[in-house]
Amino acid sequence: MISIIIPVYNQAAKLRKCLASIVAQTYQDYEVIVVDDGSMENVASVVEIFTSSLLSKLQLIKQDNQGANAARNRGRAEARGDY
């Protein structure tokens, strides 16, 4: 399984495009971990739109703003994939 870790800070429109691209892939053995790093934008509403198409493959983690590295590390800590 591949873990796709997406750190997000105030980029809800780009997150929507990113998740749409993942849904369009033919390879299906993956999980998606979105780490909301204290965004002012409503990232959760974008994730909610894709919950039905990604089913249990999508996880949203919210944390206080700590920067991109901390968000990536948090996503990695939650990842279950081999890659």
Side-chain angles (χ1 to χ4, degrees):
M1 176 183 356
I2 295 174
S3 296
I4 303 168
I5 300 166
I6 307 169
V8 179
Y9 181 75
N10 291 338
Q11 296 294 325
K14 289 182 182 178
L15 176 62
R16 182 186 307 257
K17 289 180 181 181
C18 178
L19 293 175
S21 176
I22 293 168
V23 169
Q25 299 301 309
T26 57
Y27 186 79
Q28 294 296 309
D29 191 18
Y30 62 82
E31 67 176 342
V32 179
I33 301 169
V34 177
V35 182
D36 180 357
D37 192 39
S39 296
M40 302 303 287
E41 296 179 11
N42 195 355
V43 169
S45 66
V46 173
V47 171
E48 189 175 303
I49 292 168
F50 289 91
T51 301
S52 62
S53 56
L54 291 173
L55 300 173
S56 63
K57 296 180 179 191
L58 181 60
Q59 177 182 2
L60 173 63
I61 299 169
K62 294 182 180 184
Q63 67 180 27
D64 292 334
N65 183 263
Q66 299 174 39
N69 289 336
R72 279 190 292 273
N73 289 338
R74 175 72 188 276
R76 176 62 190 115
E78 301 290 331
R80 294 174 283 138
D82 297 321
Y83 301 101

